[in-house]
Amino acid sequence: MRACIQRVKNASVFLPEKNEVSGKIDAGLLILLGIRTNDTAKEAELLARKCSEMRIFEDDNGKMNRSITDICGKMLVVSQFTLFADCRKGRRPSFTEAAPPELAEILYQHFVEAVRKYGISVETGVFKAEMQVQLINNGPVTIWLDTDCL
């Protein structure tokens, strides 16, 4: 499982087909979440814990020493199968490492529920929908996590 974590001043997900916003947050984290074919609930829980406890918000001294719960921030979680793009051959990415939609959706929801257990308010995109993600990256701070490396 992979997460591209962005510390944001605000972020939202717009659904052009429905002409509506599906999720919107102020200060917090935008998580682009990729799920691999061999991922399980264990990886979802590990990554949820890491994202929830990571100290990447500044304290009174300007040091990254606070977590999302310390600042009462929110998360916006968006499913992103393209995080597993394989671009080693040719010019068109392959997505064979990305989990099939049936598995990915279950683990995506499991990740969201695992984050909520930490008391964090979570907004989401819509699984398999065309979405437009807007954000103001704060810092900028962008961190890449892969459960293979945790």
Side-chain angles (χ1 to χ4, degrees):
M1 197 168 283
R2 271 185 194 148
C4 177
I5 303 163
Q6 297 181 307
R7 187 178 76 182
V8 298
K9 289 188 181 238
N10 61 62
S12 64
V13 175
F14 178 75
L15 305 171
E17 268 189 30
K18 295 183 176 183
N19 196 31
E20 68 183 29
V21 173
S22 73
K24 183 177 180 179
I25 64 168
D26 290 320
L29 298 175
L30 169 63
I31 309 281
L32 302 176
L33 186 68
I35 298 159
R36 188 181 339 223
T37 55
N38 61 346
D39 285 333
T40 65
K42 180 181 175 184
E43 282 83 16
E45 291 163 14
L46 173 65
L47 196 57
R49 179 175 177 230
K50 194 73 164 177
C51 291
S52 300
E53 295 178 349
M54 191 177 306
R55 298 184 317 174
I56 59 174
F57 293 91
E58 294 178 357
D59 63 15
D60 294 336
N61 297 317
K63 293 195 175 212
M64 284 198 268
N65 205 22
R66 291 186 175 152
S67 70
I68 191 168
T69 54
D70 294 331
I71 67 149
C72 299
K74 295 181 179 182
M75 271 191 205
L76 176 58
V77 182
V78 178
S79 177
Q80 187 79 39
F81 78 94
T82 60
L83 291 178
F84 282 104
D86 182 350
C87 300
R88 292 177 287 184
K89 294 182 183 177
R91 294 177 289 160
R92 182 175 33 199
S94 167
F95 300 103
T96 57
E97 281 191 61
E102 305 77 32
L103 172 63
E105 186 170 14
I106 290 167
L107 292 177
Y108 169 74
Q109 294 299 336
H110 192 82
F111 174 87
V112 168
E113 291 308 314
V115 168
R116 287 183 174 140
K117 288 180 182 175
Y118 289 95
I120 299 167
S121 178
V122 181
E123 296 280 326
T124 64
V126 175
F127 193 83
K128 286 182 65 176
E130 181 182 333
M131 297 174 274
Q132 296 173 355
V133 180
Q134 296 180 328
L135 69 136
I136 297 179
N137 193 317
N138 185 3
V141 173
T142 301
I143 295 174
W144 182 269
L145 287 181
D146 194 316
T147 53
D148 285 350
C149 302
L150 298 179

